[in-house]
Amino acid sequence: MILKTERLRLEPLSASDSGALFAILSDAEAMAFWHRAPLVRPATAEEVVASQLAAMADGHFLYWTVWREENAIGSVDLSNLDFSHRRGEIGFLFRRDQWGLGYGREAVAALIAHAFGPLKLERLEARMLAANRRAKRLVQHLEFQPEGRLFGHVLRDGARQDVDVFGRLSRSATKNGA
């Protein structure tokens, strides 16, 4: 399903997106807070996209490429979808030259609306390296609340990295015991 905002078009990931996504996945600064090192070969981007497409086949992962006009400027995803518990996890990554222009917030807001609307999820989670202040500001602006820290959760460049967890309930969800 294509998701549209005022300025963006989120199209389901396709194999032909790997070249455009390589521009992001190979940028050391854009990848500084990601779970993997920057890519050095375009063929690796093709492998990443192929694995994401395979993951989409079972319906528990959804990936979109974010387009502004004819330029691929980022990607967003819903992962670890659990429809029996109506929950999932969001992810996002944008080209560095698009940072600070509100595109991330706009695309993630569309993703949230899709998750809480047609997909009928009631809880979303966002996880990011603890040092990623920019991503934490974005999710907090979109009403995610800090839930805790997973100490040493990710091994990146030979060092254990802490991951902060944020959560958001849909307006229709209820909190047990709260």
Side-chain angles (χ1 to χ4, degrees), residues 9-175:
R9 194 176 68 257
L10 286 64
E11 294 187 5
L13 180 68
S14 73
S16 62
D17 295 343
S18 64
L21 294 176
F22 178 72
I24 304 165
L25 298 170
S26 63
D27 181 327
E29 193 171 345
M31 296 293 287
F33 298 111
W34 205 244
H35 63 280
R36 66 181 306 152
L39 304 184
V40 293
R41 299 177 320 114
T44 307
E46 293 172 8
E47 294 167 6
V48 167
V49 168
S51 71
Q52 290 175 333
L53 290 170
M56 288 174 66
D58 75 1
H60 294 285
F61 295 86
L62 301 171
Y63 296 92
W64 289 266
T65 301
V66 180
W67 297 86
R68 184 177 54 80
E69 299 172 357
E70 299 308 313
N71 296 306
I73 64 166
S75 65
V76 296
D77 64 83
L78 288 168
S79 60
N80 300 316
L81 294 169
D82 181 338
F83 293 104
S84 62
H85 292 286
R86 297 183 187 162
R87 65 182 180 219
E89 185 175 334
I90 66 163
F92 51 91
L93 183 64
F94 284 84
R95 252 181 26 209
R96 190 166 25 115
D97 65 341
Q98 303 299 303
W99 293 357
L101 301 173
Y103 297 129
R105 186 181 311 151
E106 190 173 328
V108 174
L111 190 66
I112 293 167
H114 183 65
F116 288 158
L119 294 181
K120 297 181 177 152
L121 299 181
E122 294 179 349
R123 176 181 160 71
L124 291 175
E125 189 173 284
R127 297 177 182 213
M128 65 233 18
L129 292 183
N132 193 345
R133 292 186 308 259
R134 184 182 294 270
K136 289 194 278 189
R137 278 194 312 268
L138 186 150
V139 297
Q140 287 180 303
H141 180 81
L142 294 170
E143 302 177 24
F144 281 76
Q145 302 301 314
E147 295 186 335
R149 178 166 285 177
L150 303 171
F151 295 99
H153 190 66
V154 172
L155 182 62
R156 169 79 196 263
D157 299 328
R160 302 237 47 106
Q161 301 288 320
D162 295 345
V163 170
D164 286 344
V165 180
F166 293 80
R168 177 177 169 181
L169 292 174
S170 70
R171 296 208 189 322
S172 63
T174 59
K175 297 180 188 178

